[in-house]
Amino acid sequence: MAKKRLLIYAHYYIPDTASTGQILRELAEGMLDQFDITVICVVPSYLGTIEDKYKTKKYYKEKINGVKVLRIRVPEFSKANKKSRIKNIISYFFGAMSATFKVGKQDYVFSISQPPILGGLLGVWGKWVKHAKYIYNIQDFNPEQTLAVGYTKNKLITDAMMWFDKFSCKRSDLIITVGRDLVETVQNRFKGKKVPKTVMINNWIDENEIYPLDENNENVLAFKKKYSLDGKFVIMYSGNIGLYYDLENLIKVVEKIKPGTKTADGREVVFAFVGAGSVLDKLVLYVKQHHIDNVTFIPYQDKANLIYSLNAGDVHWCVNAKGIKGVSCPSKAYGIMAASKPILGVLESESEVRCLIEDTHGGLCCEPGEYDKVEENIHWFIDNAGNSELKAMGARGRENLEKNLTRNVSVRKYAEEILKL
């Protein structure tokens, strides 16, 4: 029997390092036995720059690990410049609309809530053009996310965003979202009215790609040496250094842990921030101006090296700004659990990832904005460094991940839900 055809709209796709791009790659490749899959995405450009080989044509066709990929050329941009960012996103939106005519008949159209609002509208467009069933995968809710961090306070804009995203939800045949608290958000949006069919499937990590390594692993040691982390107790933040994490305030908490502070087992405490994003420059400037000598900034790591950088941390931050509960789900938690590391959580009660951490006793959590409690939790990790409880926290997280949060478990659920339509 011929496979059903599935079209995926993805703002970013491999080799781009965006977490949604990585998830969509693993989802697409994991469903190839049941679907013939085409992805419409931008040319590699997550960090703003574009290689010369992607600057000459409007479209580029590729095949990556069995997935057909149609790439759209977009202008370069700066993450710190709102206008250039918006221009880049709009180019993707209109480019993807016209690229829809280039991919033939489709049975299903799948879009993701990135970029905000436009990702959903692309799915509606694809459903209409292809007469296909539409699956809307909501990783982040907007305008709720925009409002939570005060990115815009223009009520006209946020009301319009809400109208358009509810329109995308209503036109979908299925909404798949990534947390228990996000399912509630769908229900709250349609209070008293017909709620679109919604299921929850956790994001995941490929547990065979990220796993615990011995502390004497030569690649982990090489990473630590390269960034002067060797012999130190590393409290690590790894991922997007962007708007939704309250990092500008958390760096002030870090400042209270003075350079030269030592753990119970005699190691010097350092804070490592691995990644890039719109807030990075502000953090770098703050650290420089305030002479916070126990903070180090490390660039994005290739996916192949992520296992070594995650294993180089003794404790990992998993944080969100206030108001993000029910709106977004920090996927970085899955990588931390996969590496069997304890989590320093700054997350709202009853948010999906905080539930996962608390259910497994995989770390310490407090509410966003409880800066005294954040500091207290940091001190707890410093005072207990080297004891068995830290290892046990990480091990419990890994054990739960292997049971419930693997790539195969989640991908199988996606395929089953889509084929039910």
Side-chain angles (χ1 to χ4, degrees):
M1 202 172 83
K3 287 182 196 172
K4 294 280 190 183
R5 283 171 289 240
L6 172 68
L7 172 63
I8 297 176
Y9 292 102
H11 188 187
Y12 296 112
Y13 195 70
I14 55 162
D16 273 326
T17 53
S19 59
T20 49
Q22 300 291 345
I23 280 169
L24 287 175
R25 170 219 148 185
E26 290 175 0
L27 181 63
E29 291 177 12
M31 296 198 300
L32 278 172
D33 56 340
Q34 283 154 301
F35 300 96
D36 180 324
I37 297 177
T38 303
V39 172
I40 293 177
C41 59
V42 296
V43 296
S45 54
Y46 181 58
L47 297 176
T49 54
I50 294 169
E51 287 179 58
D52 288 344
K53 69 173 178 178
Y54 287 115
K55 287 181 177 173
T56 53
K57 296 189 297 191
K58 198 172 174 185
Y59 300 105
Y60 295 84
K61 279 189 175 175
E62 299 173 354
K63 196 160 191 180
I64 305 176
N65 302 336
V67 177
K68 296 172 201 155
V69 180
L70 179 59
R71 295 193 183 276
I72 304 149
R73 191 177 87 212
V74 288
E76 293 188 319
F77 69 98
S78 155
K79 285 208 169 198
N81 182 320
K82 252 192 215 179
K83 273 189 182 157
S84 76
R85 220 172 162 170
I86 289 166
K87 191 177 164 193
N88 175 278
I89 288 169
I90 302 261
S91 298
Y92 160 63
F93 179 69
F94 287 110
M97 283 180 81
S98 59
T100 305
F101 294 106
K102 298 182 168 295
V103 296
K105 186 183 176 327
Q106 301 292 326
D107 301 294
Y108 303 99
V109 168
F110 181 104
S111 80
I112 191 165
S113 54
Q114 290 289 344
I117 312 304
L118 301 182
L121 292 174
L122 275 177
V124 177
W125 168 256
K127 173 180 177 159
W128 180 65
V129 171
K130 299 297 178 191
H131 308 291
K133 299 276 189 198
Y134 169 38
I135 301 95
Y136 188 17
N137 179 213
I138 300 183
Q139 297 276 337
D140 311 287
F141 280 96
N142 274 294
E144 289 93 335
Q145 186 168 237
T146 309
L147 289 165
V149 296
Y151 193 65
T152 176
K153 292 191 168 61
N154 185 320
K155 196 170 175 331
L156 200 66
I157 290 175
T158 54
D159 284 356
M161 286 171 80
M162 181 61 91
W163 188 91
F164 279 117
D165 208 54
K166 281 175 78 171
F167 172 80
S168 300
C169 290
K170 279 188 227 168
R171 292 290 176 276
S172 70
D173 295 280
L174 174 67
I175 294 170
I176 299 178
T177 190
V178 293
R180 289 162 268 194
D181 49 332
L182 279 79
V183 173
E184 281 175 30
T185 302
V186 178
Q187 291 162 348
N188 292 337
R189 277 183 167 192
F190 293 92
K191 264 199 183 112
K193 299 197 179 78
K194 188 170 179 267
V195 179
K197 185 184 176 190
T198 307
V199 297
M200 191 277 275
I201 304 174
N202 282 105
N203 280 343
W204 63 88
I205 193 86
D206 187 333
E207 74 286 3
N208 302 310
E209 281 186 8
I210 306 290
Y211 47 86
L213 293 171
D214 188 273
E215 59 193 33
N216 295 318
N217 176 283
E218 61 182 63
N219 290 313
V220 175
L221 291 176
F223 177 87
K224 285 183 159 184
K225 195 171 171 55
K226 183 174 181 180
Y227 296 107
S228 306
L229 305 175
D230 33 354
K232 295 179 180 169
F233 184 76
V234 182
I235 300 175
M236 183 178 279
Y237 177 94
S238 176
N240 178 22
I241 301 176
L243 291 166
Y244 306 118
Y245 310 106
D246 195 29
L247 294 171
E248 290 127 301
N249 286 315
L250 291 174
I251 200 77
K252 293 172 186 170
V253 179
V254 167
E255 188 180 2
K256 293 179 177 180
I257 314 296
K258 296 300 174 201
T261 299
K262 292 230 162 88
T263 58
D265 60 358
R267 286 177 286 165
E268 203 180 309
V269 177
V270 293
F271 294 86
F273 289 82
V274 184
S278 54
V279 177
L280 177 62
D281 291 347
K282 284 183 190 166
L283 296 191
V284 171
L285 187 64
Y286 188 90
V287 164
K288 200 174 175 181
Q289 286 174 341
H290 293 252
H291 309 289
I292 312 174
D293 298 332
N294 55 353
V295 170
T296 185
F297 294 98
I298 297 170
Y300 256 118
Q301 299 301 298
D302 288 340
K303 193 145 193 263
N305 294 328
L306 191 59
I307 183 170
Y308 308 123
S309 63
L310 288 176
N311 272 281
D314 291 282
V315 177
H316 281 264
W317 294 92
C318 186
V319 305
N320 261 345
K322 199 162 192 60
I324 295 295
K325 176 191 169 230
V327 172
S328 183
C329 191
S331 293
K332 62 170 66 63
Y334 302 110
I336 302 165
M337 291 170 188
S340 194
K341 299 293 179 179
I343 296 176
L344 178 59
V346 186
L347 303 157
E348 285 163 282
S349 295
E350 294 175 19
S351 58
E352 179 65 27
V353 168
R354 180 154 173 182
C355 289
L356 291 172
I357 297 165
E358 291 180 339
D359 291 349
T360 58
H361 303 290
L364 298 180
C365 293
C366 66
E367 293 287 321
E370 288 184 351
Y371 303 117
D372 290 349
K373 187 70 179 155
V374 175
E375 189 184 351
E376 191 185 308
N377 287 347
I378 292 171
H379 279 295
W380 185 90
F381 281 114
I382 291 169
D383 294 343
N384 288 279
N387 82 12
S388 59
E389 180 50 22
L390 264 72
K391 273 202 163 44
M393 278 178 165
R396 288 191 291 265
R398 171 78 195 186
E399 192 184 328
N400 180 49
L401 179 117
E402 285 177 4
K403 215 180 284 178
N404 304 309
L405 303 168
T406 65
R407 174 182 174 175
N408 286 347
V409 167
S410 291
V411 170
R412 189 179 67 244
K413 286 180 187 171
Y414 268 89
E416 283 169 3
E417 291 294 345
I418 293 168
L419 288 168
K420 275 185 206 168
L421 295 174

